[in-house]
Amino acid sequence: MLYRELGKTGEKVSILGFGAMRFPTIGNKPNKIDEKEASKMLEYGIDNGINIIDTAYSYHTLDFNEPGESEPFLGDFLSTGYREKVLISTKLPSWIVEKKEDMDIFLNQQLDRLKTDNIDIYLLHSLKEDYWKNLTNLDVFEFMDDALADGRIKHIGFSFHDELDLLLEILDSYEWEVVLTQMNYLDEGYQSGINGVQYLSSINMGNMIMEPLRGGKLVENIPQDVQKIWNTAKVKRSPLEWAFKYLWDMEGISTVFSGMSNLEQVKENISIANQGYPNTLTNEEKKLIKEVARAYRDKKDVECTQCNYCMPCPERVDIPTCFKEYNIAKMLDNPEASSMQYFSLLDEENYASSCTECGDCVSMCPQMINIPKELEKVKKLFGR
């Protein structure tokens, strides 16, 4: 296993981290972890060098507003002798914090659930503008100061699901140590994207990555035209290897979390990680990866360029985000994952279903898109 510095924390982390959101389950119920199989996966992963695990309050639950089974399962597993071998990263459920006292309540619950005296890396979960505003109004800064001072938390950070401007604003507000963002070769322009990753590297922030495979869609059911591009490479690699290689080639990335769901995936990912050296992709290979990304983008259905000329909508529909998530669903043939993002990123009034077909946006669109008509497709796909 290869290791890298986690920014300024002083910790060294395996370049492959264990994402604890997709453990195998029993009976297709997300809250029923197959503990025997998941334990085998963790044992193999840790014994072969993985030293960081990322979980959250709501992982493996039927309702993301309720506590899930990931943390207590990990607490039981790690208490068998593995706790000292790994760093635990978990998250404050930002969206259900209603009063300042809730933050301490959740953290103390998580310490109990994980059967540990301290959490190595504590993240404010899934920050976007409204969650961040609520937390700052409730003085999250004092909460973080106190939890760091009394030793319940060793390192503080946040996971992020919004645009670059907000990322920079949050970074300027506190002495953060770690940030978790979404990145893969298809998402360079999505949310804070590649610019965010590069900025975090430039300030020596602990730079952790989620969704390296876009929920597995970059390695499953590869379209023929995409596979033909991969086949032209001089050095032959699987789509899985290309996806990881793209990220590990960036020396400023500390670790990449993979939500592995069976033992074979753990073994395969570790084998690839053992070759995850930075700055080893050739210019030709980088161009090939960009060509694959373009091939996926060509599959989008609505020709929206995210210029925002259509905004603001008088009915508060977030037109660019509606089209972005719709197009991603079409590109990757994965409406379920895009639906999760759609309902996570948007409030009810921002849904496509709020469109009244007033037509104000149509004359503003440089691409001459019939926006109300296209929003009907979004509504049909996501149900709102």
Side-chain angles (χ1 to χ4, degrees), residues 238-283:
S238 68
L240 178 66
E241 290 175 284
W242 282 113
F244 279 130
K245 186 79 171 173
Y246 163 80
L247 293 167
W248 286 325
D249 195 63
M250 302 180 222
E251 60 184 347
I253 287 178
S254 307
T255 188
V256 176
F257 289 114
S258 178
M260 297 167 279
S261 55
N262 60 59
L263 183 57
E264 288 308 309
Q265 289 178 358
V266 179
K267 292 179 177 179
E268 186 176 16
N269 289 2
I270 288 175
S271 176
I272 296 170
N274 289 338
Q275 305 301 317
Y277 296 97
N279 303 314
T280 54
L281 280 175
T282 66
N283 288 333

Side-chain angles (χ1 to χ4, degrees), residues 182 187-193 214 324-325 328 341 345:
Q182 178 170 323
D187 281 341
E188 288 192 347
Y190 183 69
Q191 295 178 2
S192 54
R214 256 289 176 173
K324 181 189 294 184
E325 296 306 326
I328 290 170
Q341 290 282 69
L345 293 171

Side-chain angles (χ1 to χ4, degrees), residues 10 18 30 58 87 92 94-95 97 104 121 139 154 166 183 238 299 313 318 342 349 360 365 370:
F18 210 119
S58 300
L87 300 172
L92 175 77
S94 306
W95 55 93
V97 174
D104 277 308
I121 302 164
D139 200 2
K154 289 185 178 179
L166 182 62
M183 188 76 260
S238 68
K299 299 179 188 300
C313 165
D318 188 338
Y342 181 79
E349 64 265 28
D360 287 0
C365 179
N370 186 336

Side-chain angles (χ1 to χ4, degrees), residues 127-324:
L127 288 192
K128 53 178 188 167
E129 190 167 7
D130 53 346
Y131 296 168
W132 176 238
K133 182 178 181 180
N134 179 54
L135 290 176
T136 54
N137 287 340
L138 296 175
D139 200 2
V140 69
F141 305 111
E142 183 177 16
F143 160 73
M144 293 188 293
D145 286 343
D146 291 346
L148 287 165
D150 64 28
R152 287 177 294 166
I153 297 171
K154 289 185 178 179
H155 307 292
I156 191 70
F158 60 92
S159 69
F160 189 73
H161 285 287
D162 212 307
E163 301 302 318
L164 182 61
D165 287 350
L166 182 62
L167 175 69
L168 300 178
E169 176 188 325
I170 296 173
L171 286 170
D172 285 343
S173 70
Y174 194 76
E175 291 296 321
W176 306 100
E177 298 174 273
V178 183
V179 179
L180 175 63
T181 59
Q182 178 170 323
M183 188 76 260
N184 54 70
Y185 63 75
L186 194 59
D187 281 341
E188 288 192 347
Y190 183 69
Q191 295 178 2
S192 54
I194 190 66
N195 290 331
V197 169
Q198 291 172 345
Y199 181 73
L200 292 169
S201 300
S202 74
I203 61 173
N204 194 27
M205 184 68 60
N207 201 349
M208 308 196 303
I209 299 296
M210 59 180 150
E211 295 292 347
L213 310 177
R214 256 289 176 173
K217 290 302 176 179
L218 296 182
V219 297
E220 298 170 356
N221 303 315
I222 306 297
Q224 287 187 356
D225 57 331
V226 170
Q227 189 59 55
K228 283 181 181 179
I229 299 172
W230 288 137
N231 291 343
T232 65
K234 290 181 180 178
V235 177
K236 305 303 178 186
R237 298 186 178 98
S238 68
L240 178 66
E241 290 175 284
W242 282 113
F244 279 130
K245 186 79 171 173
Y246 163 80
L247 293 167
W248 286 325
D249 195 63
M250 302 180 222
E251 60 184 347
I253 287 178
S254 307
T255 188
V256 176
F257 289 114
S258 178
M260 297 167 279
S261 55
N262 60 59
L263 183 57
E264 288 308 309
Q265 289 178 358
V266 179
K267 292 179 177 179
E268 186 176 16
N269 289 2
I270 288 175
S271 176
I272 296 170
N274 289 338
Q275 305 301 317
Y277 296 97
N279 303 314
T280 54
L281 280 175
T282 66
N283 288 333
E284 185 178 352
E285 288 173 329
K286 290 177 182 178
K287 289 178 182 177
L288 186 75
I289 293 172
K290 288 186 179 297
E291 189 177 347
V292 167
R294 279 194 296 271
Y296 274 114
R297 291 191 193 103
D298 285 345
K299 299 179 188 300
K300 69 180 184 180
D301 189 43
V302 179
E303 292 301 319
C304 175
T305 63
Q306 306 291 302
C307 70
N308 286 338
Y309 279 93
C310 57
M311 298 295 285
C313 165
E315 302 300 328
R316 302 193 66 186
V317 177
D318 188 338
I319 298 168
T321 300
C322 287
F323 287 153
K324 181 189 294 184

Side-chain angles (χ1 to χ4, degrees), residues 115-130:
K115 294 185 176 179
T116 186
D117 294 329
N118 53 70
I119 291 168
D120 300 289
I121 302 164
Y122 198 62
L123 307 176
L124 310 185
H125 197 171
S126 193
L127 288 192
K128 53 178 188 167
E129 190 167 7
D130 53 346

